[in-house]
Amino acid sequence: MNTYSDVPSIDGCVVRKVDPDRVADVRERMPAPRDLSDVADVFGLLSDANRLRLLVALLEGEMCVCDLAAVTGQSESAASHALRLLRAHRVVTSRRAGRMVYYRLADPHVRMLLDVALVHIEHTELLHPERDGES
């Protein structure tokens, strides 16, 4: 009979052997620390549900702060603050038309990140049957 201690850990290596060529290849392709930090910042921005709601709303196209606040259920002040942060990190862009400011996704890469994340969630719904009926 197997006990817990007989089962190899799936978190670590069963045999401690480093492949130096593979490690060197991967290290050579690793982005610079500053680039990784910038990517982490973008994912950090996407980790907030309210900011994510704004971005998902912008998948439908350009919108003003008033409409974005209404769609996402946020106050205009909260939406505006979140949009300023997203704009500062080049996730959204804005244009002014008189007194109105309209926001849109900064580029196709932002759309791609959102699309892939949303498809991933749909795909993983099969793995989480306990979430059936949740909103």
Coordinates of all heavy atoms in Angstrom, one line a residue, residues 42-59 72 74 82 86 105 110 113-114 117-118 121:
V42 N 1.1 45.1 -16.0 CA -0.1 44.9 -16.8 C -1.0 43.9 -16.3 O -2.2 44.1 -16.1 CB 0.3 44.6 -18.3 CG1 -0.9 44.2 -19.1 CG2 1.0 45.8 -19.0
F43 N -0.4 42.7 -15.9 CA -1.3 41.7 -15.3 C -1.8 42.1 -14.0 O -3.0 41.8 -13.6 CB -0.5 40.3 -15.2 CG -0.5 39.6 -16.5 CD1 0.7 39.4 -17.2 CD2 -1.6 39.0 -17.0 CE1 0.8 38.7 -18.3 CE2 -1.6 38.3 -18.2 CZ -0.4 38.2 -18.9
G44 N -1.1 42.9 -13.2 CA -1.6 43.5 -12.0 C -2.8 44.4 -12.2 O -3.8 44.3 -11.5
L45 N -2.7 45.2 -13.3 CA -3.9 46.0 -13.7 C -5.1 45.2 -14.1 O -6.2 45.5 -13.7 CB -3.5 46.9 -14.8 CG -2.5 48.0 -14.5 CD1 -2.0 48.7 -15.8 CD2 -3.2 49.1 -13.6
L46 N -4.8 44.1 -14.7 CA -5.9 43.2 -15.2 C -6.5 42.4 -14.0 O -7.5 41.8 -14.2 CB -5.4 42.3 -16.3 CG -4.9 42.9 -17.6 CD1 -4.4 41.9 -18.5 CD2 -6.0 43.8 -18.2
S47 N -5.8 42.3 -12.9 CA -6.2 41.5 -11.8 C -7.4 42.2 -11.0 O -8.0 41.5 -10.1 CB -5.1 41.2 -10.9 OG -4.7 42.3 -10.1
D48 N -7.6 43.4 -11.2 CA -8.7 44.1 -10.5 C -10.0 44.0 -11.3 O -10.1 44.3 -12.4 CB -8.4 45.6 -10.3 CG -9.5 46.4 -9.6 OD1 -9.5 46.3 -8.4 OD2 -10.3 47.0 -10.3
A49 N -11.1 43.4 -10.6 CA -12.3 43.1 -11.3 C -13.0 44.4 -11.9 O -13.5 44.4 -13.0 CB -13.3 42.4 -10.4
N50 N -12.9 45.5 -11.2 CA -13.5 46.7 -11.7 C -12.8 47.3 -13.0 O -13.4 47.7 -13.9 CB -13.6 47.8 -10.6 CG -14.6 47.5 -9.6 OD1 -15.6 47.0 -9.9 ND2 -14.3 47.8 -8.3
R51 N -11.4 47.2 -12.9 CA -10.7 47.7 -14.1 C -11.0 46.7 -15.3 O -11.1 47.1 -16.4 CB -9.2 47.8 -13.8 CG -8.8 48.9 -13.0 CD -7.3 49.1 -12.9 NE -6.7 48.0 -12.2 CZ -6.2 48.0 -11.0 NH1 -6.5 49.1 -10.2 NH2 -5.6 47.0 -10.5
L52 N -11.0 45.4 -14.9 CA -11.3 44.4 -16.0 C -12.7 44.6 -16.6 O -12.8 44.5 -17.8 CB -11.2 43.0 -15.4 CG -11.1 41.9 -16.3 CD1 -10.0 42.1 -17.3 CD2 -10.8 40.6 -15.6
R53 N -13.7 45.0 -15.8 CA -15.0 45.3 -16.4 C -14.9 46.4 -17.4 O -15.6 46.4 -18.4 CB -16.0 45.6 -15.2 CG -16.6 44.5 -14.5 CD -17.7 45.0 -13.5 NE -18.0 43.9 -12.6 CZ -17.3 43.7 -11.4 NH1 -16.4 44.6 -11.0 NH2 -17.7 42.8 -10.6
L54 N -14.2 47.4 -17.0 CA -14.0 48.6 -18.0 C -13.4 48.1 -19.3 O -13.8 48.5 -20.4 CB -13.1 49.7 -17.3 CG -13.7 50.4 -16.1 CD1 -12.7 51.2 -15.4 CD2 -14.9 51.3 -16.6
L55 N -12.4 47.3 -19.2 CA -11.7 46.8 -20.4 C -12.6 45.9 -21.2 O -12.6 46.0 -22.4 CB -10.4 46.1 -20.0 CG -9.3 47.0 -19.3 CD1 -8.1 46.1 -18.8 CD2 -8.8 48.0 -20.3
V56 N -13.3 45.0 -20.5 CA -14.2 44.2 -21.3 C -15.3 45.0 -22.0 O -15.7 44.7 -23.1 CB -14.9 43.1 -20.4 CG1 -16.0 42.3 -21.0 CG2 -13.8 42.1 -19.9
A57 N -15.8 46.0 -21.3 CA -16.7 46.9 -22.0 C -16.1 47.6 -23.2 O -16.8 47.8 -24.2 CB -17.2 48.0 -21.0
L58 N -14.9 47.9 -23.1 CA -14.2 48.6 -24.3 C -13.9 47.6 -25.4 O -13.5 48.0 -26.5 CB -12.9 49.2 -23.8 CG -13.1 50.5 -22.9 CD1 -11.8 51.0 -22.4 CD2 -13.8 51.6 -23.7
L59 N -14.1 46.3 -25.2 CA -14.0 45.4 -26.3 C -15.1 45.7 -27.4 O -14.9 45.4 -28.5 CB -14.2 43.9 -25.8 CG -13.0 43.3 -25.1 CD1 -13.4 42.0 -24.5 CD2 -11.8 43.1 -26.0
T72 N -20.6 49.4 -16.1 CA -19.8 48.6 -15.1 C -20.4 48.7 -13.6 O -19.9 48.0 -12.7 CB -18.3 49.0 -15.1 OG1 -18.2 50.3 -14.7 CG2 -17.7 48.7 -16.4
Q74 N -20.0 51.3 -11.7 CA -19.1 52.1 -10.9 C -19.5 53.5 -10.9 O -20.3 54.0 -11.8 CB -17.7 52.0 -11.4 CG -17.1 50.6 -11.5 CD -15.7 50.6 -12.1 OE1 -14.9 51.3 -11.7 NE2 -15.5 49.8 -13.1
A82 N -9.8 54.7 -12.4 CA -9.3 53.4 -13.0 C -8.8 53.7 -14.4 O -7.7 53.1 -14.8 CB -10.3 52.4 -13.0
L86 N -5.1 53.0 -16.1 CA -5.0 52.1 -17.3 C -4.3 52.9 -18.4 O -3.5 52.4 -19.2 CB -6.3 51.6 -17.8 CG -7.0 50.6 -16.8 CD1 -8.4 50.4 -17.2 CD2 -6.2 49.3 -16.9
L105 N -9.4 50.7 -26.1 CA -8.2 49.8 -25.9 C -7.0 50.4 -26.7 O -7.2 50.9 -27.8 CB -8.5 48.4 -26.3 CG -9.6 47.7 -25.6 CD1 -9.9 46.3 -26.1 CD2 -9.4 47.7 -24.1
V110 N -3.8 44.4 -26.4 CA -4.7 44.4 -25.2 C -6.0 43.6 -25.5 O -6.4 42.8 -24.7 CB -5.0 45.8 -24.8 CG1 -6.0 45.9 -23.7 CG2 -3.8 46.6 -24.5
L113 N -5.1 39.9 -25.3 CA -4.9 39.4 -23.9 C -6.3 39.2 -23.3 O -6.5 38.1 -22.7 CB -4.2 40.5 -23.0 CG -2.7 40.6 -23.1 CD1 -2.2 41.8 -22.3 CD2 -2.1 39.3 -22.5
L114 N -7.2 40.1 -23.5 CA -8.6 39.9 -22.9 C -9.3 38.8 -23.6 O -9.9 38.0 -22.9 CB -9.4 41.2 -23.1 CG -8.9 42.4 -22.3 CD1 -9.5 43.7 -22.7 CD2 -9.0 42.2 -20.8
A117 N -7.9 35.5 -22.4 CA -8.3 35.2 -21.0 C -9.7 34.8 -20.9 O -10.1 33.9 -20.2 CB -8.0 36.5 -20.1
L118 N -10.6 35.5 -21.6 CA -12.0 35.1 -21.6 C -12.3 33.8 -22.2 O -13.1 33.0 -21.7 CB -12.8 36.2 -22.3 CG -12.9 37.6 -21.6 CD1 -13.4 38.6 -22.5 CD2 -13.6 37.5 -20.3
I121 N -11.3 31.1 -19.7 CA -12.2 30.9 -18.6 C -13.4 30.1 -19.1 O -13.9 29.2 -18.4 CB -12.8 32.3 -18.1 CG1 -11.6 33.0 -17.4 CG2 -14.0 32.1 -17.2 CD1 -11.0 32.3 -16.3

